[in-house]
Amino acid sequence: MKIIRNSIELSKTLLVTSRSIGFIPTMGALHKGHLSLIETSIKECQITVVSIFVNPKQFSPNEDLDKYPRNEKNDIALLNSLAVDFLFIPSFDEIYSDDYTIKIQSESLFKVLEGNARPGHFDGVLAVVCRLLNIVQPNYLYLGKKDAQQLKIIQNMIEDFSLKIIVQGCQIIRDNDGLALSSRNRYLSIKERGLATSIYSALGMSHKYFLLGERKVGKLTNIFVDNLAPGLEKSIDYVSIVNVNDFEQCDDIIVDNSLLLVALFVGDTRLIDNVELKLK
Ligand code: AMP
């Protein structure tokens, strides 16, 4: 694996290849969720490029930028054990110029759910992803379904700007007890880690009732809330069902393939998760 920190060097190296390039952008602190994206790219593409960049622009002032886990040595060792071809670790200045003025935004999707809870978050996400895509120019982009709204927004950007990139949304990877893997899980105390498991079991319960024929949004969201570990219902940020195609909120009855999306605090740690509600 070649480690490159300079964007021009990476662009030049990749431009001369006619082989298919798969790209996985990450913020590091790699876990099996990231590795599953990387392994899929290695299977499907001739060249796999991973980036590690903790993007300050996607953190709000009150968020955890300073304490966000960074473990470059560990990450490099993990990636070396896979057949990753290039690891891109840019500095802030490699990505952003001092005086950039152009922002990419989405009319509707920036204002709801994660966009509402984390003002400026998706501006930062698109700012970095757009730049990384231009530097790497991949054929395939691998993103996790855990960040379902981010996946949708990036898909929209790629379509709207006619970028010739195929987006592969990859399944959520979970711990044995069902908790979706996240770099932020390491903030949880042992007690909180136990409580957090109920997010998955509560999602599972809503999913079960959906499979049994329940289509009322209010019922399914209540089932989620009622099955959380006691106390966690007080720290819910949102529990929402949206149409999987356009992320339009379902308010009443589910009539199309949908997603049940949740965000809540366990202690000081904000966790997100979701489950697909597929009609057929
Ligand atoms: P991050 O490092 O948190 O920015 O995540 C980098 C990529 O890994 C994003 O596309 C995430 O959606 C994806 N990802 C993170 N956690 C998981 C998981 N548990 N399962 C699948 N993909 C994940």
Side-chain angles (χ1 to χ4, degrees), residues 25-27 31 33-34 37 68 143-144 146-147 171-173 181:
T26 81
M27 297 207 298
H31 51 66
H34 299 113
L37 272 52
Y68 194 83
L143 299 170
K146 171 162 175 292
D147 299 283
Q171 291 308 322
I172 302 175
I173 304 298
L181 294 182

Side-chain angles (χ1 to χ4, degrees), residues 24-34 36-37 53 58 68 142-148 150 170-174 179-184:
I24 305 94
T26 81
M27 297 207 298
L30 300 179
H31 51 66
K32 286 184 186 154
H34 299 113
S36 79
L37 272 52
F53 180 62
Q58 69 188 68
Y68 194 83
Y142 293 86
L143 299 170
K145 289 187 178 178
K146 171 162 175 292
D147 299 283
Q150 166 176 286
C170 301
Q171 291 308 322
I172 302 175
I173 304 298
R174 300 179 178 279
L179 181 66
L181 294 182
S182 162
S183 308
R184 291 189 167 94

Side-chain angles (χ1 to χ4, degrees), residues 58-174:
Q58 69 188 68
F59 289 76
S60 312
N62 61 337
E63 288 187 328
D64 56 349
L65 173 62
D66 290 337
K67 73 167 189 160
Y68 194 83
R70 294 164 173 84
N71 199 340
E72 195 176 298
K73 249 193 184 166
N74 230 38
D75 289 346
I76 291 173
L78 262 176
L79 295 174
N80 259 326
S81 69
L82 304 172
V84 171
D85 299 282
F86 296 99
L87 170 60
F88 181 43
I89 313 181
S91 65
F92 182 86
D93 294 340
E94 283 295 320
I95 298 292
Y96 296 109
S97 58
D98 284 343
D99 51 356
Y100 84 87
T101 53
I102 308 293
K103 264 192 189 174
I104 311 168
Q105 288 195 324
S106 151
E107 283 284 306
S108 51
L109 276 182
F110 272 44
K111 297 190 184 97
V112 296
L113 305 165
E114 289 302 287
N116 180 45
R118 306 178 67 189
H121 172 66
F122 287 123
D123 302 72
V125 169
L126 290 192
V128 76
V129 171
C130 179
R131 284 160 177 77
L132 288 170
L133 292 179
N134 281 322
I135 293 166
V136 177
Q137 304 210 4
N139 305 94
Y140 295 86
L141 173 65
Y142 293 86
L143 299 170
K145 289 187 178 178
K146 171 162 175 292
D147 299 283
Q149 191 178 2
Q150 166 176 286
L151 170 62
K152 183 69 193 162
I153 286 176
I154 294 173
Q155 269 170 335
N156 286 354
M157 176 180 76
I158 286 175
E159 269 174 44
D160 288 357
F161 294 162
S162 303
L163 303 182
K164 301 280 171 286
I165 298 167
I166 295 168
V167 178
Q168 306 284 49
C170 301
Q171 291 308 322
I172 302 175
I173 304 298
R174 300 179 178 279

